[in-house]
Amino acid sequence: MPQQQLLPPPVDWMQLRYGAVPVPAGPGGAYGPVAPVPGAVPQMAFTMRKPRNVAWVQTLLWVFAAVTAVVDLLTAVVMTRDFHPLSLAGLAYALYATVQSLVTPMQIGRGKRWAWVWALTSAVIGLVLAIGTTMAGMSLVRMAPGVVPFAAVVGALYLVLILLLCSKPVREWMLMHRAQRGRARMEGAPGPGMALSAVYRSPQRTVERPRSLAWAQVVFWAVALVPLGWAVTGMWAVGATAALAALALTSSVGLNRGRFWARVFTLVWLSLVGIGSGGAIVPGLLLATGTFGVGGVEMQAGMAVALSFGLGFALACIAFGLMFTTGVRRWTPPAELVLVFREAAAPQQAR
């Protein structure tokens, strides 16, 4: 009597249901499914109901899209009445937040990991900006009384969004879609009494450290020292240099060990430095050209600011590009996702 083919039990680690997928024969399966070959491992189809946390993430992102669209409109109206160079930076960030909040909700619903990373990075940046705006608004509460509560509410929403993105249901949702797209290697075979677990294993990387990594480290250390040229005196320049030096040190240690997170971390802070430096070039040029009706000393200071920020922008772009070279990518590969089938532990009976 042939042995019966039993469906494996549900997967406990992320509440997935899986089973053998019949392969259709003929165009569109016109001739019915092909009988499975005895002894062959069946193709797996992972399914999972959309968690509520994913729906909440999408809802919050849509809310941010609506809020930032209103901010875009108000900023544009204010700029038409009273133009200020710093308003360009605020408008640029508001436009960026609007695009990010419009693009990522649908892609997160499809389980795209790049959208999850983009949303998480933007949420962390938004939380930092909200905290900074709240602290600055407390000192100017008489001039702008509505800034503090607005920034506090936005910061609280960003904090909730970060917690939702890092929650277990959302991470399992992204993991399930990675398995569906075939980006996970399987070990073992499904069957009765088998449990499924996900593990991350260190991948194979190149033996020798690439030269492009050494050049990248030299360049982003130069980026960290650029703030010293922003001002001849002033503790704020020293503080900015110390903060960037801490970021560069963290990146150097992680990259020397071939860690994938270090490459992502370096790309994030280099992109922020590049955006900030590029946005600061315009006010420096306006000051250097005498647009604000200033004297010769202020014009020379504006030229120095424009040159220093332009140098920081160029170095950040070069270091950012070096992070995508073949040598750096092979030296810092991402961890490999492996789905392992093991025998499930038998439940202990109470005596």
Side-chain angles (χ1 to χ4, degrees):
M1 182 176 179
Q3 184 180 2
Q4 295 181 352
Q5 298 290 335
L6 299 178
L7 290 177
V11 181
D12 297 330
W13 63 278
M14 64 180 191
Q15 299 179 357
L16 298 178
R17 294 189 304 273
Y18 57 89
V21 179
V23 182
Y31 306 111
V34 176
V37 179
V41 178
Q43 297 179 359
M44 306 306 297
F46 297 93
T47 59
M48 177 183 180
R49 289 185 178 181
K50 184 178 179 180
R52 293 182 179 179
N53 288 20
V54 176
W56 279 110
V57 167
Q58 292 178 303
T59 302
L60 280 177
L61 289 172
W62 289 120
V63 170
F64 280 122
V67 172
T68 52
V70 174
V71 173
D72 293 338
L73 180 61
L74 294 177
T75 305
V77 172
V78 172
M79 288 180 61
T80 56
R81 297 178 180 179
D82 185 16
F83 176 78
H84 194 277
L86 295 179
S87 301
L88 292 174
L91 180 60
Y93 178 78
L95 290 173
Y96 160 80
T98 303
V99 173
Q100 181 267 325
S101 299
L102 287 173
V103 172
T104 52
M106 185 178 298
Q107 301 301 323
I108 289 177
R110 296 176 180 175
K112 298 299 180 64
R113 190 169 183 268
W114 63 264
W116 179 84
V117 173
W118 189 12
L120 182 61
T121 304
S122 299
V124 173
I125 296 173
L127 178 61
V128 173
L129 293 178
I131 294 175
T133 304
T134 303
M135 296 176 62
M138 289 181 179
S139 59
L140 304 173
V141 65
R142 295 182 179 180
M143 299 177 59
V147 172
V148 174
F150 177 77
V153 171
V154 171
L157 291 177
Y158 271 123
L159 180 60
V160 173
L161 179 60
I162 292 173
L163 295 177
L164 288 174
L165 287 170
C166 296
S167 63
K168 184 178 179 181
V170 175
R171 289 185 287 108
E172 291 174 350
W173 175 257
M174 310 304 296
L175 190 59
M176 182 267 294
H177 280 277
R178 289 187 66 186
Q180 284 184 345
R181 289 191 290 268
R183 295 184 179 180
R185 184 166 58 87
M186 290 189 180
E187 290 185 359
M194 303 295 289
L196 181 62
S197 60
V199 296
Y200 287 93
R201 296 180 178 174
S202 300
Q204 296 292 332
R205 66 169 185 262
T206 55
V207 179
E208 296 183 358
R209 191 178 305 167
R211 293 183 179 179
S212 55
L213 178 62
W215 282 109
Q217 290 176 329
V218 171
V219 174
F220 65 63
W221 271 107
V223 173
L225 298 178
V226 164
L228 291 178
W230 295 352
V232 179
T233 59
M235 293 302 296
W236 62 271
V238 178
T241 303
L244 291 176
L247 296 176
L249 179 61
T250 304
S251 296
S252 296
V253 173
L255 289 172
N256 286 334
R257 296 180 178 179
R259 299 294 187 264
F260 174 73
W261 64 264
R263 183 159 65 93
V264 176
F265 174 77
T266 305
L267 290 173
V268 170
W269 73 263
L270 282 176
S271 61
L272 293 178
V273 171
I275 293 173
S277 300
I281 295 175
V282 177
L285 290 177
L286 293 177
L287 188 64
T289 54
T291 305
F292 301 112
V294 295
V297 177
E298 290 80 2
M299 293 176 64
Q300 292 179 0
M303 180 60 65
V305 169
L307 290 176
S308 60
F309 277 109
L311 177 61
F313 175 76
L315 292 175
C317 291
I318 294 173
F320 189 89
L322 288 173
M323 288 291 103
F324 288 97
T325 57
T326 303
V328 175
R329 288 189 289 108
R330 291 181 178 178
W331 176 255
T332 58
E336 183 183 12
L337 174 62
V338 183
L339 302 179
V340 183
F341 289 94
R342 296 190 180 96
E343 294 184 2
Q348 298 181 356
Q349 298 180 357
R351 297 181 180 178

